[in-house]
Amino acid sequence: MDSRRRALIAGNWKMNGLRAPALALARALAAGVAGGRAARPELVVCPPATVIAAVAEALAGTRIAVGGQDCHVGASGAHTGDLSAEMLADAGASVVIVGHSERRADHGETDQLVAAKAAAAHRAGLAAIVCIGETEAERDRGRTLAVVGGQLAGSLPAGAGPANTVIAYEPVWAIGTGRTPTLAEVAEVHGFLRERLKALQPGWEEMRILYGGSVKPDNARALLAAANVDGALVGGASLKAEDFLAIADSAL
Ligand code: PGA
């Protein structure tokens, strides 16, 4: 039985993208896709919130969806500087990343808050990409599976399912470092997460589980072919159209 799910390649632009270079990147991706690149996977790019609307407009009518990088739990209200999932949807997003390790570290986001943000995404009709991953110290202490298992259980809201939720396993020590786990380590964690999803709620095991952390054109093919890897969340390499397209071309 072929249990492969359709791959998802997601670009996380992080705090990169003034208007002109963001639009140039979006247009280069659109041109690549129009020319037949990245034909197999589903594609999404997550630009900074200030350019979501412009990027969504530039990508309208293409196969490339647009996402946010975070959202508030509320729909509106007195929360200076925050953005609701409804606002992201209104700007043209169909997806939002929640619980990225940089937000967990920089803003003290807990599993409980991440689950509430995922629920907010669903309320607004957005799919949530829920990020989890161990630190280097946790891996060194042999705590990887315990940590990611706990984050998984704590970061998924009621109402989550394969249609509106994607998991991204991103070892914190692999993000932006050029280091990646071995393929065996990736397969071990992804296989474990698949089992945990099933145990949490039958049917949840159909959620896609992306790998993230130093995915590059030269390692993407192997990572994307690893057991239970259903795509990639790409940071640095998503800022270069050719690299993002090459990674997406590697998807099965
Ligand atoms: P990286 O970032 O590809 O630059 O390692 C991945 C991420 O943080 O999503």
Side-chain angles (χ1 to χ4, degrees):
M1 192 181 85
D2 180 8
S3 62
R4 281 245 165 228
R5 294 150 198 87
R6 178 146 188 240
L8 171 65
I9 306 296
N12 174 10
W13 295 3
K14 308 193 181 185
M15 199 170 72
N16 300 291
L18 299 178
R19 196 178 160 85
L23 285 174
L25 176 53
R27 290 191 186 114
L29 294 174
V33 167
R37 302 288 304 275
R40 283 181 298 270
E42 211 177 304
L43 302 168
V44 58
V45 293
C46 301
T50 47
V51 294
I52 286 176
V55 168
E57 203 174 309
L59 295 177
T62 74
R63 295 176 39 240
I64 310 171
V66 179
Q69 299 176 9
D70 175 52
C71 65
H72 191 271
V73 300
S76 63
H79 303 288
T80 303
D82 279 315
L83 294 170
S84 69
E86 282 78 359
M87 290 169 176
L88 298 177
D90 190 47
S94 53
V95 179
V96 61
I97 298 168
V98 293
H100 190 281
S101 65
E102 287 153 14
R103 293 210 58 87
R104 291 177 185 262
D106 295 353
H107 300 275
E109 295 196 2
T110 61
D111 292 339
Q112 195 184 12
L113 180 63
V114 174
K117 290 184 173 199
H122 298 155
R123 179 191 66 220
L126 302 181
I129 299 178
V130 178
C131 301
I132 58 175
E134 84 286 1
T135 63
E136 183 155 37
E138 288 163 344
R139 177 164 283 270
D140 289 347
R141 288 202 302 273
R143 300 273 306 145
T144 297
L145 298 183
V147 167
V148 298
Q151 289 176 328
L152 187 75
S155 304
L156 291 175
N164 64 13
T165 306
V166 174
I167 308 300
Y169 167 57
E170 300 202 301
V172 177
W173 52 273
I175 294 175
T177 60
R179 297 164 58 206
T180 57
T182 65
L183 296 175
E185 287 166 342
V186 170
E188 180 194 24
V189 175
H190 280 240
F192 169 80
L193 293 172
R194 184 84 62 208
E195 287 305 312
R196 287 288 293 151
L197 283 168
K198 188 175 179 181
L200 286 167
Q201 189 166 308
W204 278 10
E205 70 277 10
E206 289 304 322
M207 283 182 200
R208 288 179 287 190
I209 307 174
L210 313 184
Y211 169 77
S214 295
V215 178
K216 307 288 179 204
D218 63 359
N219 63 17
R221 188 168 295 279
L223 287 165
L224 290 166
N228 287 301
V229 174
D230 304 312
L233 181 55
V234 185
S238 72
L239 296 172
K240 286 191 188 146
E242 178 50 39
D243 285 2
F244 189 67
L245 291 168
I247 290 166
D249 280 333
S250 305
L252 301 175

